[in-house]
Amino acid sequence: MRAKKQEVLALIHYLLTLVLTFRTAYPTILLTMVRRADGARGKDADMKASVGKVAITTEKLLANDTLFAKILLLCEGETTVAVISLDYISLGGDIGTLSDGFYPALRRGLAALGIGDVLCGATHTHTLEPMIVPEDEVLSRILHAAEALLGELR
């Protein structure tokens, strides 16, 4: 589905807040995206966006809420950027069940799809118990969703 302007702005705002929390170099990039999504014209007007989400909750536990991987793809010309937010506690670092190899594997998988720039963050979880599907399945679901979203953009 084509992203609605409000959906894109809401996700960018949420991710900008997340990025500012960790004081990375990405705020300038995200602010540019907000400007473009908010109606900037001229050479930037051909940017396309698509959003989606996939459930990553394991079926082994009864959870109050479904945990998701939320994906925003921004495409301008030949450049495609992925911004991914995982409802999970950590991307590696011996916290939770995602290993230190998860993010590099995600970047390689997205690069194989033609997505060279990736921003991925873990936002939260509801418990330290394993609440998501195994790592390889999380990766597979995200890559499958990104591929479907790319199809909408092209």
Side-chain angles (χ1 to χ4, degrees):
M1 89 178 94
R2 279 263 183 232
K4 295 180 184 173
K5 179 180 170 182
Q6 287 304 103
E7 292 172 333
V8 172
L9 289 174
L11 184 56
I12 290 172
H13 180 265
Y14 170 75
L15 291 168
L16 180 59
T17 302
L18 175 67
V19 168
L20 287 173
T21 301
F22 294 105
R23 302 188 190 285
T24 68
Y26 291 103
T28 302
I29 296 168
L30 290 175
L31 286 170
T32 300
M33 293 175 188
V34 169
R35 190 189 86 247
R36 290 176 178 177
D38 201 27
R41 296 291 180 253
K43 69 180 180 106
D44 298 331
D46 62 345
M47 178 178 276
K48 300 174 190 171
S50 190
V51 293
K53 65 182 178 179
V54 292
I56 58 172
T57 312
T58 183
E59 295 177 12
K60 294 179 182 177
L61 294 174
L62 295 175
N64 291 335
D65 299 314
T66 301
L67 302 177
F68 292 100
K70 299 169 188 142
I71 305 162
L72 167 65
L73 291 185
L74 297 165
C75 182
E76 183 175 52
E78 297 298 315
T79 302
T80 303
V81 176
V83 182
I84 302 169
S85 171
L86 296 176
D87 291 341
Y88 198 57
I89 194 164
S90 176
L91 298 177
D94 295 327
I95 301 173
T97 58
L98 296 178
S99 73
D100 289 340
F102 175 79
Y103 186 63
L106 177 64
R107 289 183 57 90
R108 284 190 304 273
L110 291 170
L113 296 174
I115 302 170
D117 297 304
V118 180
L119 171 63
C120 183
T123 60
H124 74 288
T125 190
H126 299 254
T127 180
L128 285 176
E129 295 180 44
M131 293 199 62
I132 63 172
V133 296
E135 181 173 317
D136 59 339
E137 183 64 21
V138 173
L139 185 60
S140 174
R141 290 180 187 189
I142 292 171
L143 294 176
H144 181 73
E147 188 171 27
L149 292 172
L150 272 175
E152 294 176 8
L153 291 175
R154 297 188 171 142

